[in-house]
Amino acid sequence: MIMKKTILDMRVVSAAHIHEKYVLLKLTHDDELPAILPGQFVEVRVDGAPNTFLRRPISINCIDRSRNEMWLLVAAVGEGTRQLCKLQAGDTLNCLFPLGNSFTFLGKPIADSTQVIPTGLKILLVGGGVGVAPLLCFGQYLRSVGIAPTFLLGARSARDLLLLDEFEQCGSVFITTEDGSAGERGFVTDHSILWQKRFNQISTCGPKPMMKAVAKYARSLEIYCEASLENMMACGLGACLCCVEKTTSGNLCVCKDGPVFDVRRLMW
C-alpha cells in the first residue's frame, strides 16, 4: 500500500534522557497525525549541526493517538543524532514521514482491511539496542487487535534496558543481558523461552548479527520470521541507493522496499 508522505514541523512535547546514550522525543502537531503503520520510520532534519547535511532516519517508537503524539527513540551515535539529543520541550523538529513498509501478520500487510487475523496467533518480538524502538509500536498495535505479544529484549547490562514499563503494558517481557545483571545471561538466542514456547511468527530489529542469529533459529524450526533492517539511509525514498541490501530479488533499497523483510528474501 502506497501511503502519502508528509513533511511537518513537529513540536517537541518532551525530551527525556532515559539513558546516557538515548533520548526519548515526544512530538506533536496542531493537525491530526497521518496514518502510520508499525515498523515505518521518519527522516528528520538536523538543524544546528554544520557538518550534517542529510536527514537522519529514526524508527517510530510509538503513536499515541489520544495525545496526538509520535515518539522517537534517538541514540546519540554521531554528530547528527547528538544534535537531536540536545532538543528540548518547545523546540521544533522537521519530519518527513511515514516512510517504508511495516511489520506484517505472517507476511500479509497489516493495513489490509479485509484480512482476518488468525486466532491464537503467537508472535515473538525480538530486539536489541535502539532496535527495540519499532517493536514497541508493533506491540501496541498487536495489543489493540487482541494479540498479546511476547517480547525478548537483549542488552549488555540491566542499565541498558529501555522502556520496560511500556513493553510490559503490551505483553510478556523476557530479558537477556550479557553480564547477567537482569534476566538470563547471554544473547537473545540463548534465552530458554525459545525452547519452552512455540511461536507462529518472529519479528526482530537490532544489530545485524543478532538478527542473523534469530533468523537462523526461525529457519531451523520453520517459523515465519521478518527483520527490520537498519542499513545506513540518507534520502529515505530510494533515490540515493546508499541503503541497498542484497536479496533473492536482487539489490533492493531498505528505505523504500523495506525496512521490514521476510528473512527468506535476505542473503544471510
Side-chain angles (χ1 to χ4, degrees):
M1 183 180 74
I2 298 176
M3 300 178 68
K4 182 180 179 181
K5 311 299 187 292
T6 301
I7 299 179
L8 291 178
D9 284 327
M10 303 286 287
R11 185 173 70 258
V12 179
V13 176
S14 65
H17 291 256
I18 61 176
H19 183 277
E20 62 186 20
K21 184 180 176 182
Y22 298 97
V23 170
L24 178 63
L25 299 176
K26 296 184 179 181
L27 311 173
T28 191
H29 195 272
D30 291 339
D31 296 332
E32 183 179 355
L33 295 178
I36 299 170
L37 301 176
Q40 293 186 304
F41 66 98
V42 180
E43 285 275 357
V44 301
R45 190 179 69 206
V46 182
D47 298 324
N51 296 318
T52 303
F53 304 103
L54 300 173
R55 289 175 178 264
R56 290 294 183 266
I58 308 291
S59 296
I60 296 173
N61 182 217
C62 169
I63 298 298
D64 186 341
R65 293 290 176 186
S66 65
R67 291 185 168 90
N68 199 42
E69 288 181 356
M70 177 171 67
W71 298 8
L72 304 180
L73 182 62
V74 181
V77 296
E79 181 182 2
T81 48
R82 285 195 295 269
Q83 186 67 27
L84 293 175
C85 288
K86 296 178 182 179
L87 290 169
Q88 299 179 4
D91 288 342
T92 297
L93 183 63
N94 185 268
C95 299
L96 168 64
F97 67 103
L99 300 172
N101 64 0
S102 71
F103 291 111
T104 73
F105 286 130
L106 301 175
K108 297 180 180 179
I110 62 176
D112 184 353
S113 60
T114 65
Q115 182 179 359
V116 177
I117 301 173
T119 57
L121 193 63
K122 295 180 175 61
I123 298 181
L124 176 67
L125 308 184
V126 184
V130 75
V132 303
L135 299 182
L136 177 60
C137 190
F138 191 26
Q140 291 171 331
Y141 175 83
L142 291 173
R143 192 72 177 184
S144 73
V145 296
I147 296 175
T150 299
F151 296 97
L152 177 53
L153 309 176
R156 291 182 178 178
S157 67
R159 64 185 301 275
D160 298 311
L161 293 165
L162 306 171
L163 305 173
L164 287 184
D165 290 344
E166 285 77 7
F167 282 109
E168 289 171 351
Q169 292 175 19
C170 300
S172 302
V173 178
F174 296 87
I175 292 167
T176 64
T177 51
E178 294 178 28
D179 65 359
S181 56
E184 296 186 11
R185 180 188 294 271
F187 302 114
V188 290
T189 46
D190 299 322
H191 200 287
S192 58
I193 189 65
L194 296 177
W195 313 109
Q196 295 172 357
K197 188 174 180 180
R198 177 72 183 214
F199 297 95
N200 307 107
Q201 171 176 326
I202 301 174
S203 301
T204 182
C205 185
K208 185 168 282 189
M210 182 207 78
M211 292 194 292
K212 286 184 175 180
V214 172
K216 182 178 179 181
Y217 161 81
R219 288 191 184 104
S220 71
L221 296 178
E222 298 183 343
I223 301 172
Y224 174 79
C225 182
E226 59 188 10
S228 179
L229 304 190
E230 296 184 314
N231 295 30
M232 184 177 293
M233 305 178 199
C235 70
L237 301 170
C240 68
L241 305 181
C242 76
C243 64
V244 165
E245 179 79 15
K246 290 183 178 179
T247 74
T248 56
S249 304
N251 292 334
L252 297 178
C253 290
V254 170
C255 68
K256 181 172 67 69
D257 302 301
V260 180
F261 291 89
D262 181 335
V263 298
R264 293 171 296 186
R265 300 183 64 195
L266 300 174
M267 308 297 285
W268 287 357

